[in-house]
Amino acid sequence: MTDTLRLTWDAPATRWEEATPLGNGRIGAMAFGGPDGRYQLNDSTIWSGTPDGPALALQKVRAGGAGPERLAAVRAALGAGDVRSAEDLLMAFEGPYSQEFLPLADLHVRVRDADAAADETEPSRVLDLDEATLIEALRTPGGRVVRRSWVSAPAHALLIELTSDADFETTIELSTPLRGRTVDPHDALLLDVQAPVDGAPLHEDSVDPLRYAEDDTEFDAYAAVAVSLDSDGEVRRTDDRLVVRHARRLLIALSTSSRAGSWWADADGDWRTASREAIRDRAREQAEAATQRDASALLAEHVADRRRLTRARFAIGSRREGDWNVDRDVLRGSDPLLRATIAAEFGMYLLASSSRAGSPAANLQGIWNDQLQPAWSSNYTININTEMNYWAAPVLLDPDALEPLLALVELLARTGTDTARELYGTRGWVAHHNSDVWGWSLPVGDGHGAASWAIWMMGGVWLTHNLWDAYEFGGDTELLRSRIWPVMRGAVEFCLDWLTPDANGQLLTSPSTAPENSYVAADGLPTPLGLTATSDLSLIASLFERALIAIDALSLDDALEAEVREALAALTPLRIGSDGRLLEWSAEVDEHEPLHRHLSPVVGLYPLDLVTPERTPELFDASVRLIDARGPGAMGWSWAWKIALRARARQGDVAASLLDEALTPFDGDATRHGPVDGSEWGGLLPNLFSTHPPFQIDGNLGFPAAITEMLVQSHGGTIRLLPALPTSWDHGDVQGIAVRPGLVLDLAWRSGRMTAGSLRNPGRHHREVTVAHGDRQISIPVPAGAQIDLVDHGLGSAPSTDQAQSRAR
């Protein structure tokens, strides 16, 4: 095990925020360790709600008065400067809240008379990030018991192997916090679970926040959990538990299956008529198939699968492989290079564990949640958080990791087509601020949600940019043609119809909000409405530019092209204020929250490529001034975005300082909802989860994307090596980094200079790329299937001019 990166803890977890996350995209497990051996379990398809929920809610909202006619009244009120009347009118467009991601079950694998190992030679828990396995050592009176846990995508199961040189006894129990009952097989455990068909968000007072189906006419939200065993010991069933005695070898496999999962896999399939027995049999057969195989073969298969999925490797500084104590070396460690390496690697590990083809996309908590009313419903918040979850996917992981997001956007395009037509009278499709596994595309809020977050029509537009990144980094034209362009085209159609001309003929959006922010209106009170948000203009301008590129790349004869060119030319330009900052709205106003956590006005700088120092130097400088004014700190996702923005600004030392802030331990109450105004900062929990508080996974998943931007950037037609390298990052190497257009980079450096580097072209098309390092910039041909040594092309000895510039800013 000497060639892997491993995280260690000195003791078993006593609370959820200390437990170790494991997952395969479908099954999420929080392993507590210790003699009790608790695994808190999730299945990524177990949400409250029903497949027809979005359509039924749209009908009710439409019947309540929302629609194109009321939209016209909203625009008329805004045109007259009456923002308060406009806010009142917009409440009719709000539907109920999106549904909730829920816990599924608890598994206990108790070892009798055991104590957890915890000394200098043998930590209590060891998580191998490279192999995605958890290893524990337990001491019993008879000897040492080793428990190894992993969640295998090929085997569709949580696998737990216990081995010892002496006999041990284990008790296995399975339960659910939802409605459920155990079925009674002789030598296995089967759990029937009923998920609720509706759920109330945490902030809504409700005596019974979860509502279950009342009769057979409602959606049967059935799920099953199956546990199978293979052991050389004696297996006996006692009540609802299994007891294994006189064992030296035990393999446990747990699998899940659900009707919602069948719907997600094939919405046009037979999920409606599938019997509960068929769903139960699927879980049971998967578990039994695993225990009929050798544990070593299952483990080898799993490790090979995870290494394929996680393409990239980070080694910032000299220390990567080895055992690193989470508390001493990471949370309170003194080596910022090691901490940066672990932040990147742990973020990749979490994304690979929570997002796999065939399963729903990673939500606000990935696939890990133990609450029946989780914070923000543990849903898809698509005004930054879901997008950030997937920034790293096309750059660092196999395309398999991005597939769930593509499937979610395709679902939203279907439900959002009806929403766009019925609510706004437009072509194309729309999504707003929140979504869920059922494809929720309505505004949420139930008629009393603040317009600053509920009334935002750019959710679908932003998500299409994530898909565009998948095309640019992967270079797969067929993927663009068959799946990305159709949803992208629908987003373009919506924007074309959503834009309205002002008195001078310039196109703007109305109503428009800057996500979750407000300015001070003429009456002295905050309002989010009345002006066009800069983020709207940036998202739409970039969408139009990329649509034109796609039309050309696919050689399409599309009537939409002329509309896009005309609208792009008439789009209201981004504006700079009197203090040199990029304006958040289309006019200079007093800000209600000058230190607001969202960085939406500079979305054109990152993750888009609309603003660059070469293409738009004035807007670039104005964007940096706005970032300066927003200050440091806040919470995980805001930190990750600020780090990435500083990297795009080529300010490596500032980016590194923000990363150090973000990786500090959070010692407060991790279950409390911290204020959203940034007055209290988050940090990392004992298991390295990033917290608001409470836990949100977007910070963890955003860190590897931001760290990558510090080391290489490939937007704007140029691959830039070490563009924002911090002074303290004296040496290191990274491997397997995707760069536009469809190439893969390996890179090593020392003292600000590249010492080794190569570009390989795994595709079928010849590429001609521009590569820059310091003050040198050259054009390099990269034939299909070839690998090019960058040092041989004269880039290896160049000092990092960008780094020097970043220090001087």
Side-chain angles (χ1 to χ4, degrees):
M1 299 202 318
T2 58
D3 61 345
T4 59
L5 192 165
R6 299 175 300 279
L7 303 178
T8 72
W9 289 266
D10 289 336
T14 59
R15 54 192 176 97
W16 194 86
E17 294 79 15
E18 297 173 351
T20 304
L22 304 168
N24 67 353
R26 174 61 60 89
I27 299 172
M30 293 293 284
F32 284 63
D36 190 54
R38 180 191 175 196
Y39 297 81
Q40 184 270 314
L41 300 171
N42 292 92
D43 178 306
S44 58
T45 67
I46 302 302
W47 295 61
S48 61
T50 66
D52 61 356
L56 294 175
L58 175 60
Q59 292 175 13
K60 291 180 180 178
V61 168
R62 190 73 170 93
E69 303 82 4
R70 183 169 291 237
L71 174 62
V74 170
R75 287 174 167 169
L78 292 173
D82 188 355
V83 295
R84 305 306 167 194
S85 293
E87 286 186 56
D88 291 342
L89 289 166
L90 282 167
M91 293 301 101
F93 288 82
E94 293 185 356
Y97 289 90
S98 63
Q99 295 295 334
E100 301 177 304
F101 176 59
L102 296 170
L104 174 62
D106 273 279
L107 175 70
H108 288 265
V109 181
R110 296 186 174 94
V111 179
R112 183 176 179 180
D113 298 327
D115 291 316
D119 57 37
E120 294 181 359
T121 61
E122 191 166 37
S124 174
R125 291 177 285 157
V126 180
L127 175 64
D128 191 317
L129 293 183
D130 292 331
E131 298 190 349
T133 59
L134 175 67
I135 301 175
E136 305 166 68
L138 302 171
R139 296 192 182 98
T140 69
R144 182 174 177 269
V145 178
V146 174
R147 183 167 55 205
R148 185 192 305 262
S149 309
W150 67 98
V151 187
S152 168
H156 311 287
L158 164 64
L159 297 165
I160 305 166
E161 180 193 25
L162 291 89
T163 57
S164 179
D165 292 332
D167 289 0
F168 61 87
E169 179 176 324
T170 301
T171 301
I172 303 160
E173 296 182 67
L174 187 63
S175 61
T176 178
L178 303 175
R179 288 187 179 176
R181 66 182 183 89
T182 55
V183 187
D184 192 21
H186 174 66
D187 56 354
L189 293 175
L190 278 173
L191 183 66
D192 282 354
V193 179
Q194 191 72 15
V197 294
D198 195 17
L202 183 60
H203 56 79
E204 292 286 297
D205 293 330
S206 176
V207 175
D208 189 8
L210 299 179
R211 187 181 73 78
Y212 291 85
E214 297 176 358
D215 53 50
D216 293 342
T217 64
E218 294 192 83
F219 175 66
D220 180 20
Y222 174 75
V225 186
V227 174
S228 180
L229 309 181
D230 178 64
S231 177
D232 60 355
E234 302 171 3
V235 180
R236 186 178 69 180
R237 181 162 187 134
T238 303
D239 297 326
D240 292 334
R241 68 187 67 179
L242 295 175
V243 179
V244 183
R245 292 192 174 101
H246 308 301
R248 297 193 177 192
R249 175 187 58 81
L250 172 61
L251 176 64
I252 304 168
L254 178 146
S255 290
T256 65
S257 182
S258 70
R259 192 177 305 280
S262 299
W263 172 83
W264 178 265
D266 183 6
D268 297 321
D270 63 353
W271 57 270
R272 294 178 184 84
T273 58
S275 67
R276 291 188 171 192
E277 289 75 15
I279 296 170
R280 185 188 301 137
D281 286 346
R282 187 183 310 126
R284 178 181 53 78
E285 289 166 3
Q286 289 174 165
E288 290 178 350
T291 54
Q292 290 169 7
R293 299 176 60 193
D294 183 75
S296 61
L298 290 164
L299 178 60
E301 175 186 64
H302 162 73
V303 170
D305 174 70
R306 286 299 293 250
R307 289 188 181 276
R308 175 195 61 80
L309 183 65
T310 308
R311 180 184 60 237
R313 176 187 180 277
F314 287 81
I316 301 169
S318 303
R319 303 199 295 168
R320 181 188 186 278
E321 287 75 17
D323 290 342
W324 306 112
N325 184 274
V326 167
D327 187 65
R328 292 188 295 275
D329 295 319
V330 186
L331 293 174
R332 305 177 203 281
S334 59
D335 183 350
L337 283 69
L338 174 64
R339 298 171 80 221
T341 296
I342 290 174
E345 292 284 351
F346 188 60
M348 287 194 298
Y349 166 84
L350 291 176
L351 183 55
S353 299
S354 60
S355 185
R356 298 293 298 261
S359 295
N363 59 60
L364 270 178
Q365 295 185 191
I367 54 170
W368 301 280
N369 165 49
D370 68 333
Q371 298 295 309
L372 293 175
Q373 282 188 286
W376 301 286
S377 299
S378 193
N379 65 8
Y380 300 118
T381 303
I382 57 175
N383 66 2
I384 174 59
N385 312 86
T386 304
E387 289 86 352
M388 182 178 290
N389 279 2
Y390 284 92
W391 284 347
V395 186
L396 305 176
L397 277 74
D398 184 84
D400 185 54
L402 188 83
E403 171 63 27
L405 181 69
L406 179 52
L408 174 64
V409 178
E410 289 174 326
L411 173 60
L412 280 171
R414 294 195 295 273
T415 62
T417 295
D418 293 338
T419 302
R421 181 186 63 252
E422 293 296 317
L423 293 193
Y424 307 126
T426 71
R427 298 172 291 171
W429 64 279
V430 66
H432 296 81
H433 162 244
N434 282 159
S435 189
D436 56 27
V437 75
W438 313 112
W440 192 268
S441 58
L442 280 168
V444 299
D446 236 356
H448 52 79
S452 60
W453 47 263
I455 306 300
W456 186 70
M457 291 74 175
M458 294 291 111
V461 177
W462 196 343
L463 285 169
T464 63
H465 288 297
N466 283 77
L467 305 189
W468 181 258
D469 284 344
Y471 161 65
E472 284 205 317
F473 282 105
D476 188 343
T477 304
E478 182 52 37
L479 178 67
L480 175 65
R481 183 186 306 277
S482 62
R483 300 186 67 187
I484 297 175
W485 173 244
V487 295
M488 189 175 177
R489 191 182 192 281
V492 169
E493 287 184 311
F494 172 75
C495 290
L496 287 169
D497 290 356
W498 183 248
L499 289 165
T500 62
D502 66 9
N504 298 317
Q506 288 190 323
L507 296 178
L508 47 78
T509 55
S510 177
S512 174
T513 59
E516 305 188 31
N517 205 359
S518 297
Y519 66 93
V520 180
D523 60 7
L525 300 174
T527 182
L529 297 168
L531 299 170
T532 295
T534 294
S535 54
D536 283 10
L537 299 172
S538 296
L539 289 164
I540 293 172
S542 191
L543 177 66
F544 286 173
E545 289 185 354
R546 290 171 169 181
L548 295 175
I549 296 171
I551 289 170
D552 180 66
L554 299 176
S555 301
L556 299 177
D557 181 14
D558 195 322
L560 207 64
E561 179 178 1
E563 288 188 72
V564 171
R565 291 189 184 279
E566 182 179 356
L568 187 59
L571 200 62
T572 298
L574 307 188
R575 291 174 177 162
I576 300 171
S578 58
D579 60 0
R581 286 186 293 163
L582 184 69
L583 294 180
E584 185 153 9
W585 293 274
S586 53
E588 196 156 3
V589 291
D590 291 334
E591 298 165 284
H592 177 56
E593 291 186 56
L595 300 178
H596 199 268
R597 62 200 176 279
H598 278 260
L599 285 303
S600 306
V602 288
V603 68
L605 178 61
Y606 185 88
L608 307 181
D609 57 3
L610 194 68
V611 174
T612 70
E614 293 79 20
R615 177 186 177 185
T616 56
E618 292 183 355
L619 288 175
F620 175 81
D621 288 340
S623 297
V624 174
R625 286 178 180 269
L626 185 143
I627 302 167
D628 290 342
R630 288 291 164 92
M635 60 285 297
W637 63 263
S638 187
W639 262 311
W641 199 355
K642 289 175 180 178
I643 295 163
L645 286 164
R646 292 297 184 178
R648 282 286 175 93
R650 301 175 193 173
Q651 298 177 335
D653 287 340
V654 182
S657 176
L658 289 167
L659 181 62
D660 285 343
E661 286 180 3
L663 303 184
T664 55
F666 179 78
D667 295 323
D669 181 359
T671 64
R672 183 179 65 90
H673 278 233
V676 298
D677 61 5
S679 59
E680 295 182 24
W681 289 5
L684 296 184
L685 297 171
N687 62 1
L688 297 186
F689 275 167
S690 179
T691 188
H692 189 285
F695 160 56
Q696 287 181 208
I697 204 168
D698 33 44
N700 290 113
L701 303 189
F703 293 147
I707 290 168
T708 302
E709 286 292 319
M710 298 164 71
L711 300 175
V712 59
Q713 298 173 16
S714 59
H715 60 287
T718 300
I719 300 170
R720 298 186 180 276
L721 308 178
L722 308 177
L725 186 68
T727 308
S728 60
W729 293 12
D730 179 73
H731 59 286
D733 70 86
V734 291
Q735 300 171 13
I737 309 296
V739 293
R740 303 170 181 92
L743 305 178
V744 180
L745 171 74
D746 294 343
L747 175 67
W749 72 92
R750 181 169 291 276
S751 301
R753 302 168 184 264
M754 182 180 71
T755 56
S758 66
L759 280 174
R760 61 183 183 275
N761 183 351
R764 295 174 294 175
H765 302 288
H766 178 92
R767 305 292 189 185
E768 188 87 19
V769 297
T770 300
V771 183
H773 177 37
D775 57 1
R776 295 186 181 180
Q777 182 168 300
I778 60 174
S779 180
I780 301 177
V782 189
Q787 179 165 311
I788 303 299
D789 191 301
L790 296 175
V791 175
D792 289 348
H793 282 76
L795 289 172
S797 61
S800 178
T801 300
D802 288 332
Q803 182 189 10
Q805 290 174 347
S806 78
R807 295 171 184 167
R809 284 187 182 275

